[in-house]
Amino acid sequence: MAPMAFRQANGLLVLGLIVLTGLGSGAIYYRYKQPQLKAAMEKELSEAPTTLEGRLSLWHETAAPMIHHRLTQVARLSDELPWLVTHAVERAEGDPEIWGLDVARLPRELSRLDGLTVIVDLPAPELLGHAPLVGDATRHVPVYGADETVQDPGRRLSELALWFLEGLPDALERDIDGSALEIRVAGSSPR
């Protein structure tokens, strides 16, 4: 019995058919799904709040987890030292005192609404421990001598928190007229 002869297919033709099948199936699915997605989007837009307070409440619902993440994960000095460092104070012997917040202890609900203001409540900076200041994250940490007066650590914490929130406060003010984001540090004036 003679072996069967196989016809060899043109590779470029097969590749072209695969690509067209992929593109065609995507286009067909889009045509099927697009009216449903459009209806769902129109329904969601019609149900969206129209008052400033309602819009701010919806904005806060989506932004509160970002605020928490930026201040508890991005702002930390390192994984080993989950601190947002405001300043350091040199000591006569040993590593300097490190002051700031232990962000691992911050509550999940860091922010709240007060009228048209999103308020982020932070505790006052405290002594976190003694550690050497090494690495890129410590380049901008103010270091005071043991006999120097520390310049308003609450204000420094507020400035750092705003810096770590990046464009979030500006985006809020652009998105919702008359709204603002305010950092309140316990024992300091609001910022």
Side-chain angles (χ1 to χ4, degrees), residues 27-122:
I28 290 169
Y29 180 74
Y30 174 77
R31 289 227 181 242
Y32 162 75
K33 199 69 174 164
Q34 193 271 339
Q36 296 169 10
L37 293 173
K38 183 178 179 184
M41 184 180 73
E42 287 173 353
K43 180 180 182 232
E44 193 171 323
L45 286 174
S46 69
E47 294 173 352
T50 56
T51 65
L52 291 177
E53 291 81 4
R55 290 176 54 208
L56 182 60
S57 178
L58 186 60
W59 185 94
H60 183 250
E61 187 178 313
T62 58
M66 286 187 284
I67 291 169
H68 183 268
H69 176 77
R70 303 268 331 150
L71 294 178
T72 60
Q73 301 300 314
V74 178
R76 62 180 44 208
L77 190 61
S78 68
D79 288 337
E80 297 79 28
L81 300 173
W83 300 340
L84 194 165
V85 177
T86 56
H87 65 284
V89 178
E90 291 179 338
R91 298 184 314 151
E93 293 180 22
D95 293 329
E97 295 178 350
I98 306 296
W99 289 77
L101 289 184
D102 182 349
V103 296
R105 294 187 316 185
L106 291 177
R108 174 118 1 238
E109 290 77 30
L110 272 178
S111 57
R112 61 186 169 83
L113 296 177
D114 183 13
L116 289 178
T117 304
V118 175
I119 297 173
V120 178
D121 290 309
L122 297 174

Side-chain angles (χ1 to χ4, degrees), residues 143-167:
V143 179
Y144 296 95
D147 57 341
E148 287 183 77
T149 302
V150 175
Q151 301 297 316
D152 195 0
R155 180 174 177 204
R156 170 86 173 140
L157 176 59
S158 178
E159 290 169 353
L160 284 171
L162 283 172
W163 187 83
F164 279 111
L165 291 177
E166 290 183 331

Side-chain angles (χ1 to χ4, degrees), residues 2-26:
M4 290 179 45
F6 289 101
R7 289 194 62 192
Q8 202 170 11
N10 182 336
L12 287 176
L13 178 63
V14 171
L15 180 62
L17 288 172
I18 291 171
V19 168
L20 287 175
T21 301
L23 290 173
S25 64

